Amino acid sequence: MRYWHPFTEEAIQQIKKDNVTKLVILPLYPQFSISTSGSSIRVLQRIFREDTYFEGLPVSIIESWYQREGYVKSMADLIEKELSSFLKPDEVMIFFSAHGVPVSYVEDSGDPYRDQMEDCISLIMDELKSRGINNPHTLAYQSRVGPVQWLKPYTDEVLVDLGQKGVKSLLAVPVSFVSEHIETLEEIDMEYKHLALESGIENWGRVPALGCTSSFISDLADAVLEALPSASAVSGKTQRNTSEDDLDPLQSVIKFFSGQS
């Protein structure tokens, strides 16, 4: 992990200790962003450039996997289950809350995150509709920090607006998180729940993170197996190209792991 044990560097040492001969990189972010998957992969990119163990090692990277059937159905399963806990399930607003990123990432750096997130929501809602679930839904972005503009609409502002418009029942879905942590347990469960109830929403529910849901884990395992045949040798040490790495980090990562850099 980037910010807790086992850290990326610890995992690298374990890979070498285990004499791994083929590697699949699976970021635990369903949608790709240069600030999440991209950032993590760039750490590996740096390590691989500096450590001769990885020179020539076949590597495959799964850039995103939000579109996989197993993920979509697992999310729909959790939503369907939580909807059933409401007195009037058909009247519940499904509220997808995703981690935000600065607008500049999308508009200036070509980050596909927003497009992938919107596509992800569409796939989940299509799956729900195939089950006869036709609830209204909306998407908003949380966790913004600093003075720059982040992707809109913002979760806190949308919650207030929904309450003012008369929405009484709401089911929050943390769509970009696969595990429970401060942004679900504190930001959503405490801050946003309080704001929602204060704004007029009377019935609040929250879909849990996927965690170790068996259908989800099985699908991730399938994704890894499917990625193995496409593993290709990592290129050796190369001089860093600032314009390529900084201005188009997604393409830089793809080129590096496909041996083109």
Side-chain angles (χ1 to χ4, degrees):
M1 291 185 282
R2 293 296 306 282
Y3 307 110
W4 194 245
H5 297 286
F7 290 110
T8 301
E9 292 76 9
E10 295 176 70
I12 289 295
Q13 293 306 312
Q14 188 63 51
I15 287 171
K16 295 166 67 174
K17 182 179 179 181
D18 292 340
N19 294 315
V20 169
T21 57
K22 187 177 289 188
L23 187 64
V24 175
I25 300 173
L26 173 64
L28 289 179
Y29 305 100
Q31 306 83 15
F32 182 94
S33 173
I34 58 177
S35 63
T36 53
S37 299
S39 175
S40 298
I41 293 168
R42 281 161 66 83
V43 170
L44 292 174
Q45 184 180 22
R46 173 183 56 78
I47 293 172
F48 288 3
R49 288 185 189 277
E50 298 171 354
D51 193 327
T52 56
Y53 177 89
F54 295 96
E55 188 170 343
L57 182 73
V59 175
S60 179
I61 176 172
I62 301 173
E63 297 166 27
S64 63
W65 39 268
Y66 71 90
Q67 72 278 37
R68 291 187 61 85
E69 184 177 359
Y71 167 74
V72 172
K73 288 189 174 182
S74 295
M75 287 295 295
D77 288 344
L78 292 179
I79 293 171
E80 184 175 17
K81 179 180 179 181
E82 293 302 318
L83 282 174
S84 67
S85 67
F86 286 83
L87 187 61
K88 297 180 179 180
D90 294 344
E91 298 179 4
V92 178
M93 168 70 73
I94 300 175
F95 186 90
F96 293 96
S97 187
H99 196 291
V101 299
V103 171
S104 61
Y105 287 12
V106 175
E107 296 184 352
D108 299 334
S109 300
D111 194 325
Y113 180 72
R114 180 172 59 190
D115 288 343
Q116 290 191 4
M117 183 59 68
E118 292 175 356
D119 188 32
C120 175
I121 302 307
S122 178
L123 291 171
I124 294 172
M125 290 308 302
D126 285 346
E127 174 62 26
L128 289 171
K129 289 175 183 176
S130 73
R131 305 180 185 191
I133 299 171
N134 296 290
N135 293 59
H137 73 281
T138 191
L139 166 65
Y141 295 91
Q142 66 178 83
S143 307
R144 70 185 187 277
V145 294
V148 300
Q149 184 176 346
W150 285 50
L151 291 181
K152 291 184 177 181
Y154 298 140
T155 293
D156 53 354
E157 294 179 355
V158 175
L159 286 173
V160 172
D161 184 58
L162 290 175
Q164 292 175 345
K165 289 180 177 178
V167 171
K168 296 302 180 184
S169 298
L170 183 143
L171 178 62
V173 183
V175 68
S176 55
F177 309 114
V178 298
S179 61
E180 303 289 359
H181 55 296
I182 191 171
E183 287 161 315
T184 58
L185 300 174
E186 197 274 338
E187 192 171 4
I188 294 179
D189 288 354
M190 298 174 67
E191 294 179 22
Y192 291 146
K193 179 181 180 180
H194 175 75
L195 179 62
L197 297 178
E198 190 177 57
S199 300
I201 294 169
E202 299 174 357
N203 306 302
W204 168 276
R206 203 264 283 180
V207 170
L210 285 164
C212 294
T213 302
S214 59
S215 58
F216 167 58
I217 296 301
S218 294
D219 190 60
L220 286 187
D222 289 342
V224 171
L225 293 175
E226 292 164 14
L228 279 171
S230 64
S232 58
V234 171
S235 59
K237 295 182 179 180
T238 59
Q239 184 175 359
R240 186 175 186 270
N241 185 320
T242 301
S243 61
E244 178 183 85
D245 286 357
D246 292 341
L247 298 182
D248 198 346
L250 173 57
Q251 288 304 314
S252 173
V253 166
I254 293 172
K255 288 179 67 176
F256 178 80
F257 285 104
S258 62
Q260 300 175 39
S261 62

